[in-house]
Amino acid sequence: MDRDLVERARRGDREAFTVLVHQVSDVLYAVAYRILRDSGLAEDALQNALVLAWRRLPHLRDADRFEAWVHRILVHACYDESQRTRSWTATVRALPLDGPAIPDGSDAVADRDELERAYRRLSVEQRAVFVLHHYLGLPLVEVAELLGIPAGTARSRLHYAIAGLRDALTGEPEPIVQEGRLA
Amino acid sequence: MTDDRSLERAARSFIEPGPTRAPEAAVAAALVAVQTTRQERDLRVPWRTSAMPIPARLAAAAIALAIVVVGGAVLLRPTGQPNVGGPSPSPVIAPSPSPAIAPSPVPSPTDALAALQAYRVARDAICVSASQQLLTLNAAGDAASTPAEHADVIARIIVLGTTETNQLAALDPPQAVAEEHAADVVHHRDSLALLGQIEDLLRQGKAAEADAVDRALGTAISSQEEAFQQRYSLADCP
């Protein structure tokens, strides 16, 4: 990330910010989509995050941290989008999945459907940790730092996310997975 | 498939597929919104501003204008002056940098569009010029390391802002936006007064108090200005 661009944008240069946006928007959208599993919600989260990033940019002290900083804003935008749609997602979960189709055998497709259902049952906080760790490949310590949470919390969220997916694959009874406890 | 390693693989292969490019429309929409969105102030860089507008903002401006014109055509008609005899051709006022538009008792949609366009051109010229000058001052603010140096930068900003506000006050806005324009000028004067308070506090070495004043009052004032700018797709005016 070009430090000079970040500094210029921080001083109010919209042209510099536009360049930055084009550099980061693809990965931000990819992350938002994978957290929310819905293209419309991911677009909204991306837009809100970019506008909020512009608004708050003067408060960014270390230009070298821009990328992590804007990811953090995005994840919080995903939290907001998730809250906004919580009322109808419960219904949607029962509908056929519209996730990306990939060539696969029938067993793999069944596994994938199970995984998708299990994934959507995870909390958005758990999904965020899962995506940052498994999609972006960030170590858990960096995930925790990016999200502003203790490392133990990040580890716990990932643990429960993986446990939820494992249960889906083994066909075991599916407890309602919540952070820090099983309800 | 459920041992840890295979689960890890399954997790990765599950999360990998999906879009990797952001939809252009979503990015463009965000950038349009940024054009009318003001940055939060930070006393390290006391006053935030815009750079030159981009073509995407102009497209949004055209859409907003169309909405304003269509929706406002009837509302703009002065009450008590029915258009007896049906619509008559009104002289088309070509967009001009001059904000002075001859008053028309029955503005047609074309008149209203031209008046708003002329107003936007005139206002944007003032605001963009001030914004460009402010980028330099913001850089000076970044370089300032003591409250006194910050105060000096703010004093220069106040001079620039006073000139800008006087220019805004001299505009002759169309009837459709006259009230909001007047309120916007008041907000600018309030912002300048606020900056004056902040400058005084900084000269007294009270950086924390200056920051508190900025945070407590600045956001409310800025958001009012910003709402006006977004409503009519006007350039951000520091």
Side-chain angles (χ1 to χ4, degrees):
Chain A
M1 193 58 58
D2 187 335
R3 183 185 174 86
D4 179 58
L5 274 178
V6 178
E7 288 290 356
R8 282 169 49 203
R10 210 173 57 74
R11 293 186 192 122
D13 187 332
R14 285 181 168 85
E15 290 178 353
F17 186 73
T18 298
V19 176
L20 286 174
V21 164
H22 286 300
Q23 289 179 359
V24 299
S25 56
D26 283 345
V27 68
L28 291 180
Y29 178 73
V31 167
Y33 175 84
R34 282 158 180 81
I35 292 174
L36 295 166
R37 309 300 285 181
D38 180 289
S39 56
L41 294 179
E43 285 186 33
D44 287 348
L46 174 68
Q47 289 182 34
N48 291 337
L50 291 175
V51 174
L52 195 59
W54 165 254
R55 188 187 290 278
R56 292 185 178 168
L57 198 48
H59 303 301
L60 176 65
R61 296 300 184 199
D62 182 359
D64 291 331
R65 297 280 304 152
F66 174 77
E67 215 160 346
W69 176 81
V70 77
H71 270 91
R72 183 174 180 173
I73 289 176
L74 176 84
V75 169
H76 282 273
C78 289
Y79 292 169
D80 291 343
E81 286 302 315
S82 173
Q83 287 289 329
R84 197 162 62 80
T85 58
R86 179 165 287 177
S87 58
W88 60 262
T89 50
T91 305
V92 171
R93 281 173 190 155
L95 300 175
L97 299 169
D98 60 351
I102 54 171
D104 215 337
S106 57
D107 287 349
V109 169
D111 278 353
R112 183 170 184 81
D113 284 353
E114 285 303 320
L115 278 171
E116 185 74 43
R117 290 179 208 284
Y119 187 77
R120 292 184 185 223
R121 279 192 293 269
L122 301 178
S123 72
V124 67
E125 291 86 358
Q126 290 165 349
R127 280 183 262 163
V129 171
F130 184 84
V131 169
L132 294 174
H133 182 62
H134 283 297
Y135 181 68
L136 287 187
L138 297 179
L140 267 179
V141 174
E142 285 186 32
V143 170
E145 188 181 352
L146 187 150
L147 295 175
I149 57 177
T153 302
R155 204 161 30 246
S156 168
R157 287 179 185 174
L158 185 64
H159 168 79
Y160 281 102
I162 294 289
L165 299 180
R166 176 187 285 118
D167 290 345
L169 291 175
T170 56
E172 290 172 4
E174 296 165 351
I176 298 171
V177 180
Q178 294 185 347
E179 193 170 305
R181 66 188 176 86
L182 299 179
Chain B
M1 175 151 182
T2 54
D3 64 84
D4 284 349
R5 298 189 78 175
S6 60
L7 188 65
E8 189 93 352
R9 278 199 302 275
R12 286 183 194 281
S13 63
F14 165 73
I15 206 66
E16 194 66 34
T20 55
R21 299 283 311 259
E24 288 181 14
V27 175
L31 290 173
V32 167
V34 161
Q35 294 303 313
T36 53
T37 300
R38 181 160 302 177
Q39 286 186 319
E40 291 177 2
R41 265 195 294 255
D42 185 295
L43 275 184
R44 224 162 52 114
V45 188
W47 208 28
R48 296 291 163 185
T49 182
S50 63
M52 290 291 289
I54 59 172
R57 189 183 70 76
L58 297 179
I63 295 168
L65 261 182
I67 293 169
V68 167
V69 168
V70 171
V74 175
L75 296 175
L76 284 169
R77 192 186 307 275
T79 55
Q81 296 185 31
N83 188 16
V84 179
S88 60
S90 300
V92 175
I93 302 169
S96 147
S98 167
I101 304 298
S104 168
V106 186
S108 69
T110 307
D111 291 336
L113 176 63
L116 277 168
Q117 178 64 13
Y119 170 71
R120 175 184 295 105
V121 168
R123 186 184 185 278
D124 283 5
I126 295 168
C127 299
V128 169
S129 171
S131 295
Q132 288 172 329
Q133 295 176 66
L134 203 50
L135 286 177
T136 306
L137 293 177
N138 281 340
D142 270 357
S145 57
T146 66
E149 288 175 354
H150 280 304
D152 289 344
V153 173
I154 289 178
R156 292 165 64 193
I157 289 172
I158 290 173
V159 171
L160 173 63
T162 301
T163 303
E164 176 205 54
T165 304
N166 289 340
Q167 289 174 330
L168 288 175
L171 290 179
D172 184 13
Q175 185 182 348
V177 299
E179 195 172 321
E180 287 168 288
H181 171 80
D184 186 50
V185 171
V186 170
H187 294 150
H188 274 82
R189 295 202 196 288
D190 289 346
S191 292
L192 289 169
L194 176 65
L195 283 172
Q197 289 178 38
I198 292 170
E199 182 195 352
D200 289 343
L201 288 167
L202 287 172
R203 293 210 185 281
Q204 296 168 38
K206 298 177 178 175
E209 286 93 330
D211 188 55
V213 169
D214 184 49
R215 286 176 189 279
L217 301 177
T219 304
I221 292 173
S222 293
S223 63
Q224 289 169 326
E225 293 173 358
E226 194 176 286
F228 173 58
Q229 290 166 178
Q230 288 179 344
R231 193 170 302 120
Y232 298 101
S233 293
L234 301 168
D236 184 27
C237 215

